Amino acid sequence: MDEVDSAIVRHLQEDARQSNREIAEKIGIAPSTCLERTRLLRQRGVIRGYHAEVDLAALNRHVQALVSVQVRPLNRSVIDSFHQWVRHLPEVLTVFGTAGNDDFLVHVAVRDIDHLHAFLVDKLSDRRDIVSFRSSIIYRRDTNNVLDPL
Amino acid sequence: MDEVDSAIVRHLQEDARQSNREIAEKIGIAPSTCLERTRLLRQRGVIRGYHAEVDLAALNRHVQALVSVQVRPLNRSVIDSFHQWVRHLPEVLTVFGTAGNDDFLVHVAVRDIDHLHAFLVDKLSDRRDIVSFRSSIIYRRDTNNVLDPL
DNA sequence: ATTGAAATCCACTTGTA
DNA sequence: TACAAGTGGATTTCAAT
């Protein structure tokens, strides 16, 4: 991870579909060098993938919420099974397994308030290992798509 | 947003760097059609961008936390200024503006526990509009990179 | 709006230092 | 490890439907 690698990573975070030549020119290296570096970054797992960012409203997901969840008993089997279950629900964007008062924080995006309610009472409430949950509507969200090394 | 558009969006969420021909073939349309559809999706804002996903550990960010923040007084000026300030800090991945007990939830990724502490006491504590904050370490995080319309 | 073909551009491989 | 040149393949444009 030298300066060249960092620059490649930065440019690919900004726009993953720009051409290899373009990135090479911006950095000031040969296109073949840039391509090889990029391949290694991908292979080493520094770059985990390339994804289109989609407008949630265009996917009929006008309401977002953060749902904090407590599960019991607190053992690996319960924690892992809840985590795997919740992360594959179609409403779920991100699952955080956390320390502190809550065991999980789940970021969901649904069609409207009614569907949020349905998600909570029909899906979450059905699980016996969930002790309690509390949800907060999200008014606004901003994500830093390009992160530099610290 | 018909079936073809949805398919394009799905494939680009899965791998934003696969070729246009590849996507066209998987869907069963002409490459030129696929290209035009993709351009329109981008132009209409359905697709907001293409970003490389990077391993946080490779960026020297081994510790993640969720920081819930209360600000006062609760007016637009205070809320907006905090939101804009915090979202541009290098440690911050995502800012959620929420309803409920907490006004903001901030997802941060830092080098280690010491840097988390430094972030909290040196940066957050400096702001007069912050009434209180509470942070939870993140043990695990899973993100759904491909979302279907509801 | 979709397509097929032409032209331009790019990725990938090979060879060399 | 980096670069330069060559080839196969992709993107892009455009005329026609």
Side-chain angles (χ1 to χ4, degrees), chain A residues 57-75:
Chain A
L59 298 178
N60 263 315
R61 297 164 181 267
H62 303 276
V63 170
Q64 296 177 60
L66 288 166
V67 185
S68 57
V69 179
Q70 276 193 330
V71 297
R72 289 295 181 277
L74 265 188
N75 55 45

Side-chain angles (χ1 to χ4, degrees), chain A residues 96-100 103, chain B residues 64 137-141:
Chain A
F96 298 95
T98 61
D103 304 316
Chain B
Q64 296 178 59
I137 297 288
I138 298 171
Y139 292 135
R140 209 192 324 176
R141 175 176 66 128

